[in-house]
Amino acid sequence: MSRTSKPRLDPIASSRAPGKIILSGEQFVVLGAPAVAMAVNLYSRVEAWRSESGPMEVSADIPLQIVDEASKKSSVEKNQGLLEPLRLAALATLDHLREKDRAVQLNANCEIPIGAGLGSSASITVATISAVAKSRRARLEKSEIFKLAFVPERYLHGKPSGVDQATCAYGGIIQFRRPARIKRLSIKRPPKILVCDSGVHRSTRALVGSVVKKSRKEIGRFREHLEEVSAVSNSVVKSLKDEDTTDLGSLMNRNHELLRQIGVSTPRLDKLVTVARKAGALGAKLTGAGGGGCIIALVDDPKTRLKVERALRKEQGTLYDVSVDPRGVV
Ligand code: PMV
């Protein structure tokens, strides 16, 4: 942590943090396996300033798309559920800075779809921590931001591994292992990934909870899964370094199968994954907690990309053409 000494009026401080996709190891990372994740160029932005007086005020312009499964109609509601984690992130930051004065006002907005496996909550909380620190003229190390983000992430997810906030804070492509082994990978040619949102949004907490419960009942099966996922994640790192997209694609396919076996995929996600592969993707898998949310497809060649996009659109998927965010929170 460092503070600048220049006296000045309190300005509006702002920070932005990327979203993320997980190339391998989600869910199993909570149980101790390594994961590989990439920060992507969808952002949340948070402004923070010292309010005139009184308590903390948090406002957010974060639309939450709700899909009514019965009527298939979607509506957009204000996402009040994210205000409490933002408040917790701000409080944790002020405590860390030993700031007694709690008067801070926050304004957040987010272009990352919420509850879709793209790390929206981690991105917003990481940006909040950074912005609140800046509003007190302090700059935090990424390792400090990573640690502080456990407070709101625990509130939201119960048992976060930390992979989401690590990726949103550090940016680039990282290999992550609990509790805090974060290795930034130097990859010359990041994978070309297409993200497709199934439109079904869900709770990470419930999904992670169900997998943790299952892992306690089916110890032998999960031990095998963990060994295999560890091997998959290590091979994903190798394929990224070797720029071996064929290998990376099959590893993604295998990872999806393992996620399917532990019950976090859905018929809709399986369908999108199959459609992407049939249209020419080198590999496809769900990304994030599962139960809905997004799939990712690896598509190297521009012509095939168009085909995959067309096929996924036919399935009513919402497409995000993402690229790597190299900077993390700024
Ligand atoms: O919240 P999501 O859907 O972006 O998923 C986070 C990744 C998990 O492995 C499912 C949970 C975690 O904390 O690692």
Side-chain angles (χ1 to χ4, degrees):
M1 178 201 332
S2 65
R3 283 183 201 246
T4 53
S5 52
K6 264 196 295 181
R8 55 179 170 158
L9 286 175
D10 288 318
I12 294 183
S14 68
S15 282
R16 101 174 176 188
K20 65 100 225 294
I21 56 166
I22 298 184
L23 293 168
S24 69
E26 57 270 269
Q27 291 288 1
F28 299 100
V29 68
V30 177
L31 306 170
V36 183
M38 177 169 113
V40 295
N41 60 341
L42 293 168
Y43 296 98
S44 63
R45 292 178 179 81
V46 176
E47 292 179 330
W49 63 98
R50 192 190 296 265
S51 52
E52 288 296 298
S53 63
M56 189 171 289
E57 273 182 50
V58 183
S59 67
D61 178 15
I62 306 168
L64 176 66
Q65 206 186 20
I66 309 276
V67 179
D68 178 350
E69 273 302 292
S71 64
K72 297 280 175 231
K73 278 194 184 140
S74 70
S75 60
V76 175
E77 292 181 6
K78 279 246 166 206
N79 189 7
Q80 297 302 318
L82 269 170
L83 298 187
E84 181 57 12
L86 293 199
R87 206 183 64 81
L88 291 174
L91 276 177
T93 309
L94 295 173
D95 279 349
H96 180 71
L97 296 171
R98 297 197 179 84
E99 275 269 342
K100 297 253 166 358
D101 177 5
R102 297 301 165 89
V104 64
Q105 213 158 326
L106 295 175
N107 183 27
N109 67 69
C110 181
E111 64 192 30
I112 308 163
I114 309 291
L118 299 183
S120 54
S121 69
S123 172
I124 298 170
T125 53
V126 158
T128 300
I129 292 164
S130 167
V132 169
K134 283 185 197 168
S135 77
R136 296 309 205 250
R137 291 182 221 133
R139 260 178 208 280
L140 299 177
E141 298 293 337
K142 295 204 168 179
S143 56
E144 292 174 290
I145 297 176
F146 165 76
K147 272 193 204 136
L148 288 168
F150 272 109
V151 177
E153 284 289 281
R154 272 197 199 106
Y155 170 85
L156 271 169
H157 297 324
K159 203 177 185 311
S161 66
V163 65
D164 281 14
Q165 78 244 35
T167 319
C168 300
Y170 284 81
I173 303 181
I174 66 161
Q175 187 173 18
F176 178 88
R177 192 168 201 151
R178 263 184 57 203
R181 253 198 271 168
I182 302 162
K183 195 169 161 198
R184 269 204 69 163
L185 305 174
S186 160
I187 305 297
K188 282 198 210 90
R189 231 179 120 253
K192 297 217 165 67
I193 296 286
L194 195 59
V195 174
C196 176
D197 189 349
S198 67
V200 179
H201 294 184
R202 76 297 175 270
S203 143
T204 298
R205 175 188 275 271
L207 284 150
V208 170
S210 78
V211 172
V212 170
K213 220 171 165 187
K214 232 183 239 177
S215 74
R216 289 188 185 136
K217 277 199 200 136
E218 302 170 34
I219 296 169
R221 181 153 90 98
F222 268 81
R223 194 178 301 127
E224 278 171 28
H225 283 333
L226 286 177
E227 267 171 32
E228 189 172 354
V229 170
S230 302
V232 166
S233 281
N234 292 335
S235 304
V236 163
V237 172
K238 185 170 179 324
S239 68
L240 287 168
K241 287 191 172 154
D242 294 348
E243 297 177 18
D244 187 339
T245 46
T246 311
D247 211 22
L248 178 58
S250 9
L251 291 162
M252 286 167 62
N253 291 344
R254 182 62 197 149
N255 197 146
H256 182 77
E257 178 53 27
L258 290 166
L259 289 162
R260 222 179 53 76
Q261 284 177 19
I262 62 165
V264 295
S265 191
T266 63
R268 170 126 174 93
L269 292 176
D270 290 342
K271 173 88 189 180
L272 292 174
V273 160
T274 308
V275 162
R277 289 179 195 154
K278 274 199 183 140
L282 295 162
K285 64 183 277 292
L286 71 83
T287 190
C294 293
I295 66 137
I296 54 172
L298 178 66
V299 199
D300 222 19
D301 157 66
K303 260 198 200 145
T304 315
R305 198 177 182 87
L306 288 177
K307 270 196 202 157
V308 176
E309 284 180 357
R310 215 173 297 132
L312 289 171
R313 260 194 214 107
K314 251 193 185 163
E315 296 296 327
Q316 270 85 48
T318 307
L319 296 176
Y320 295 91
D321 198 355
V322 298
S323 59
V324 65
D325 163 274
R327 299 179 71 192
V329 64
V330 285

